[in-house]
Amino acid sequence: VKTAARAWGPSCSKSVGTCCLFCRAAMADLADEGTLVELMEEWLSGDDFDASWRECYDRACRGGGRSDRNISENVLYQTCAAVHGHLPAEGELKPLSSLIPSPDPEFIRGALEVIGADDVREAGIKDLEQLEAAVVVVYTQLAHCADILRKQMPDVAAHMERGSLPY
């Protein structure tokens, strides 16, 4: 997980299209936790995700000036929360939409802290490449947490996948 910090720092020279692949490789150890991380990685590496996070970013920026540099923490939070609405609701990736909650600011800060990123409340987001990397890290961490839920509370996870809770 520590190597994912490279995608965050100034040493990352990857273009936006390949940054996701770098983040996926850097966080590959999370894939050992179960299939939701693998499903999430599949979605994060696809065209649907690329279009989704960009659309969500565009919406989060409406009404404010935009230079695609020095992106505010609020735009990060709004983008991450809005991406949740684009998770696949059908097919083999459907478990993502039923088991992955929308991230809140506290979760987003914690997910970025795990990779050693600067506090977004103070530093903000450098550019679009770093924003995409942050969204990838957040959603990979959400999938990791959902995999832990599946292992520790399989009955609850099964009810969530069916769209109902046992209580």
Side-chain angles (χ1 to χ4, degrees), residues 78-107:
Q78 291 172 14
T79 301
C80 284
V83 165
H84 184 267
H86 292 269
L87 288 172
E90 297 179 1
E92 67 179 27
L93 299 178
K94 183 182 180 191
L96 296 178
S97 64
S98 59
L99 289 170
I100 304 291
S102 181
D104 62 12
E106 183 179 356
F107 185 90

Side-chain angles (χ1 to χ4, degrees), residues 17-118:
T18 58
C19 188
C20 280
L21 297 175
F22 175 80
C23 292
R24 283 183 39 219
M27 298 189 62
D29 62 318
L30 295 179
D32 293 338
E33 290 299 324
T35 61
L36 285 177
V37 170
E38 293 167 0
L39 291 175
M40 183 62 75
E41 287 179 343
E42 181 180 335
W43 184 67
L44 291 170
S45 66
D47 292 337
D48 287 343
F49 168 72
D50 192 49
S52 296
W53 82 262
R54 289 176 185 278
E55 176 186 323
C56 295
Y57 169 69
D58 288 344
R59 284 189 189 159
C61 290
R62 284 207 177 117
R66 176 175 163 178
S67 69
D68 296 338
R69 298 227 177 265
N70 300 317
I71 300 165
S72 75
E73 68 172 304
N74 286 329
V75 170
L76 168 66
Y77 299 152
Q78 291 172 14
T79 301
C80 284
V83 165
H84 184 267
H86 292 269
L87 288 172
E90 297 179 1
E92 67 179 27
L93 299 178
K94 183 182 180 191
L96 296 178
S97 64
S98 59
L99 289 170
I100 304 291
S102 181
D104 62 12
E106 183 179 356
F107 185 90
I108 294 167
R109 284 191 302 270
L112 296 176
E113 189 177 291
V114 167
I115 63 161
D118 292 333

Side-chain angles (χ1 to χ4, degrees), residues 8 29 82 133 140 164:
W8 191 259
D29 62 318
T140 303
S164 64

